[in-house]
Amino acid sequence: MEIDPLADGLPPRYAIESDDEDEYNPLTTQPTDQGPVINIKIEGQFTPGYPLVIASDPAGNFWADGADLGEQHGAIFVNHIQVGSLFKPSSTRAVVLVSEATTALPLWSMNKYANHILDHLQPSAISILDVYSVQSYISSELLPVHEAPVRYLSLQNISLDPFHMFAPPNILQSTSAAFMSAMNIRTLSSSRQYNAVILLLPSPEIPRTAPSKLSPSRLSRPSGDQAWPVETMVEVDEKLFEIVGAKRSGTWAFRSMSGGSAFSLSKKRQNLAEVGEGGMYI
């Protein structure tokens, strides 16, 4: 066995950096790589145990336009930036969360955001509305965008005709996936089988990259190509509440962009959240 007698010695100056003005100090400690600080605050009074319907990103923004959610009852802040709006529609017993309508969460905050909401609301079941990219979806069957189906993911072995399964090897890397993962962990760690389903509207756009940091910048509204048919939205709206056992009265109704659009609703929610310290929402 050969032993290097210089193994414990200092490296030559040129082996560090020839133009480094600081001498090598083996006792210097390197700062640890700490993750970003995540502070989540939920405002509003909600009784735990009710079904939860989550509408996220462009799909959630478009759906909220015609869902008649009524008065906003709460808000969710991440590092003092509003990320979610909470509603208690009179047409159903479910709580509704419109999430990431005006900003997008970085990857490092998604899991904590999802778990904090689930711990706080303790929903009996959840359904989520989101999008998938038709262009990047891997399938043996090539379909044009206008023929692409609504797809779904579920923790239980169920069939949601006429929707199609979101099949492997495709993956989701959004906050919706964080919610599903958190619900799955709750199922595995208890004797209770939680019901959790994601409905995914087809999108012609490439999935946006999650930002590296959270900012209050407003996201753009879905383009004309991403305005889904009314028939599809009515069917999806019905399934969202039926899945969690909270079928509601009334149906989804399209509103024109000029009158009560999802964008203007989002702007109104943001303005309400900026009134006073901590954000009031009435």
Side-chain angles (χ1 to χ4, degrees):
M1 176 176 174
E2 296 183 0
I3 299 176
D4 183 1
L6 301 178
D8 295 330
L10 300 181
R13 170 105 177 148
Y14 64 82
I16 305 171
E17 232 182 283
S18 60
D19 59 350
D20 194 345
E21 296 179 359
D22 298 324
E23 292 295 331
Y24 176 79
N25 184 354
L27 299 179
T28 302
T29 57
Q30 298 296 325
T32 57
D33 185 16
Q34 297 180 346
V37 176
I38 306 173
N39 181 276
I40 300 175
K41 183 179 181 182
I42 299 179
E43 295 191 355
Q45 298 297 322
F46 295 88
T47 303
Y50 281 86
L52 176 63
V53 174
I54 304 169
S56 187
D57 291 336
N61 201 6
F62 186 77
W63 172 79
D65 189 11
D68 191 19
L69 300 177
E71 180 182 345
Q72 183 178 337
H73 284 258
I76 303 173
F77 297 87
V78 179
N79 293 352
H80 308 292
I81 295 174
Q82 184 174 350
V83 177
S85 300
L86 288 162
F87 299 85
K88 293 191 289 186
S90 59
S91 58
T92 177
R93 66 187 186 92
V95 174
V96 174
L97 166 62
V98 179
S99 180
E100 297 179 87
T102 57
T103 189
L105 285 171
L107 287 173
W108 46 262
S109 64
M110 291 178 180
N111 282 328
K112 189 166 183 180
Y113 174 79
N115 278 285
H116 192 94
I117 292 170
L118 295 178
D119 289 342
H120 186 84
L121 298 179
Q122 299 177 29
S124 56
I126 69 169
S127 61
I128 306 172
L129 181 63
D130 208 332
V131 299
Y132 75 95
S133 172
V134 176
Q135 295 187 49
S136 60
Y137 188 81
I138 302 172
S139 173
S140 59
E141 183 182 11
L142 295 179
L143 292 174
V145 173
H146 68 277
E147 293 183 10
V150 175
R151 298 187 182 273
Y152 69 94
L153 270 174
S154 175
L155 293 187
Q156 299 178 348
N157 186 19
I158 62 174
S159 177
L160 291 178
D161 291 331
F163 305 151
H164 295 206
M165 286 193 65
F166 186 81
N170 297 283
I171 61 173
L172 289 179
Q173 293 180 304
S174 62
T175 310
S176 298
F179 275 108
M180 288 291 281
S181 178
M183 290 294 283
N184 187 46
I185 291 173
R186 282 162 170 75
T187 296
L188 296 175
S189 60
S190 68
S191 58
R192 180 176 178 180
Q193 179 67 43
Y194 286 95
N195 186 20
V197 178
I198 304 179
L199 299 183
L200 298 161
L201 294 173
S203 170
E205 301 178 358
I206 296 295
R208 68 175 184 229
T209 304
S212 58
K213 63 179 182 178
L214 180 64
S215 66
S217 59
R218 191 177 296 117
L219 299 176
S220 61
R221 162 183 185 86
S223 63
D225 293 337
Q226 204 169 335
W228 294 274
V230 173
E231 295 79 7
T232 298
M233 296 305 300
V234 168
E235 193 168 25
V236 165
D237 177 85
E238 182 179 348
K239 286 290 185 184
L240 279 173
F241 292 91
E242 185 180 292
I243 286 168
V244 295
K247 191 172 181 179
R248 69 168 183 153
S249 58
T251 58
W252 191 89
F254 179 75
R255 300 179 189 176
S256 65
M257 290 186 181
S258 59
S261 69
F263 182 84
S264 63
L265 284 173
S266 299
K267 184 176 181 181
K268 181 179 179 182
R269 293 179 195 130
Q270 185 180 35
N271 291 339
L272 288 172
E274 292 172 353
V275 177
E277 185 178 357
M280 295 303 292
Y281 38 83
I282 298 175

